[in-house]
């Protein structure tokens, strides 16, 4: 199965469950589970030609899908999910049981939604203090937001610690705000680059925003030099 897929962008995805069987595997049953739900989302009993799909996936499941090549013991083993959305994100496990054997495998598929909005700004709190705020809204699953600082002319980024984080969720999506107040005297006299990086765990999605900040003391120093030179 795919490890990740963006919300609503794929026409369908296939979650397959490959297994070997022999003549001893009577009363074969294939079951699929999602996360910790004890009720299977899908079940197939080949000998009875009987299949079941739970209400959770029924509207998304293509019941006409068959694996290729296939036999009477493998035909309907896979899930074909149509236009997967975030509610189908999670850990899927396939259980294969017969009178002779049983086995199970699981894997996580993340159906993610990139943020509807992603902003990084700063506000002067006083003549010597500035507050940097990075916020993302409408993202799923919970993203990781990191603040970095690069003191020029060096190019080595440093993690900004002691950040404040606010998180809320609504209608299956998250709002996350990360902020940090910085004193100008903590910075060098050169401009400083602050960077906000947003990543979504379990996927390769990453986005970033940058701010080039000029400490007030640098401006004051420049003005004093100009005044002194003019005298």
């Amino acid at each position: 199965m795919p490890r990740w897929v963006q919300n609503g962008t794929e026409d369908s995805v296939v979650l397959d469950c490959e297994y070997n069987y022999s003549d001893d595997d009577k009363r074969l049953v294939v079951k699929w589970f999602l996360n910790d739900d004890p009720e299977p989302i899908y079940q197939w009993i080949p000998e009875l030609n009987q299949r079941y799909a739970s209400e959770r996936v029924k509207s998304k499941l293509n019941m006409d899908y068959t694996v290729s090549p296939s036999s009477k013991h493998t035909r309907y083993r896979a899930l074909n999910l149509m236009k997967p959305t975030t509610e189908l994100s999670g850990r899927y496990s396939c259980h294969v049981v017969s009178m002779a054997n049983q086995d199970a495998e699981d894997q996580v598929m993340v159906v993610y939604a990139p943020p509807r909005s992603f902003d990084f700004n700063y506000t002067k709190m006083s003549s010597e203090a500035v507050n940097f705020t990075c916020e993302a809204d409408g993202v799923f699953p919970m993203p990781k937001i990191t603040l970095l600082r690069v003191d020029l002319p060096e190019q080595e980024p440093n993690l900004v610690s002691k950040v404040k984080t606010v998180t809320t969720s609504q209608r299956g999506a998250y709002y996350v705000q990360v902020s940090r107040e910085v004193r100008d005297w903590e910075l060098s006299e050169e401009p400083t680059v602050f960077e906000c990086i947003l990543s979504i765990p379990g996927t390769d999605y990453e986005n970033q925003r940058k701010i080039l900040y000029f400490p007030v003391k640098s401006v004051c120093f420049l003005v004093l030099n100009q005044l002194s030179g003019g005298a």
Side-chain angles (χ1 to χ4, degrees):
M1 69 178 70
R3 296 300 179 99
W4 63 80
V5 57
Q6 185 173 334
N7 179 63
T9 61
E10 298 293 334
D11 289 336
S12 70
V13 295
V14 174
L15 285 60
D16 200 359
C17 180
E18 297 183 2
Y19 49 84
N20 297 318
Y21 64 94
S22 68
D23 292 338
D24 295 329
D25 291 314
K26 305 296 183 181
R27 299 184 183 179
L28 182 71
V29 180
V30 179
K31 296 182 180 182
W32 281 88
F33 296 86
L34 178 55
N35 295 324
D36 297 323
D37 191 344
E39 179 187 0
I41 57 173
Y42 176 77
Q43 177 176 286
W44 175 44
I45 305 176
E47 290 182 11
L48 300 180
N49 193 28
Q50 186 180 81
R51 289 188 293 161
Y52 159 82
S54 71
E55 292 297 326
R56 188 172 184 180
V57 299
K58 184 177 292 185
S59 63
K60 293 285 188 179
L61 191 60
N62 176 15
M63 296 292 282
D64 294 327
Y65 180 82
T66 60
V67 298
S68 180
S70 66
S71 69
K72 65 179 182 179
H73 292 100
T74 63
R75 185 174 295 116
Y76 296 117
R77 72 189 184 198
L79 303 181
N80 182 215
L81 300 175
M82 311 302 292
K83 295 188 179 298
T85 48
T86 56
E87 66 269 18
L88 294 180
S89 183
R91 181 175 294 279
Y92 288 81
S93 58
C94 176
H95 295 239
V96 183
V97 182
S98 73
M99 294 187 66
N101 295 287
Q102 62 179 2
D103 201 0
E105 292 288 346
D106 63 80
Q107 184 174 305
V108 172
M109 180 179 73
V110 178
V111 184
Y112 72 94
R116 288 193 301 268
S117 62
F118 178 38
D119 299 299
F120 187 30
N121 299 292
Y122 72 91
T123 304
K124 289 294 294 183
M125 309 302 293
S126 68
S127 60
E128 296 183 349
V130 59
N131 189 70
F132 291 91
T133 302
C134 187
E135 53 188 351
D137 192 21
V139 58
F140 181 87
M142 174 82 76
K144 177 182 179 182
I145 294 183
T146 304
L147 294 185
L148 299 176
R149 165 182 158 184
V150 180
D151 295 317
L152 300 179
E154 293 84 1
Q155 299 297 320
E156 187 68 27
N158 296 298
L159 181 67
V160 176
S161 59
K162 299 180 181 179
V163 298
K164 295 181 180 179
T165 303
V166 176
T167 303
T168 60
S169 62
Q170 186 176 14
R171 297 179 181 178
Y174 290 95
Y175 167 81
V176 181
Q177 180 191 89
V178 174
S179 61
R180 173 68 150 85
E181 186 172 308
V182 178
R183 302 287 177 174
D184 282 357
W185 54 262
E186 299 178 59
L187 307 174
S188 67
E189 294 181 351
E190 299 296 328
T192 302
V193 175
F194 286 89
E195 183 175 4
C196 176
I197 299 177
L198 181 148
S199 58
I200 298 180
T203 76
D204 64 349
Y205 181 88
E206 185 174 286
N207 205 341
Q208 60 183 15
R209 298 285 188 271
K210 293 183 180 182
I211 291 175
L212 180 61
Y213 178 70
F214 295 82
V216 171
K217 64 180 181 181
S218 297
V219 176
C220 294
F221 179 77
L222 177 60
V223 171
L224 288 174
N225 273 354
Q226 288 176 337
L227 290 175
S228 176

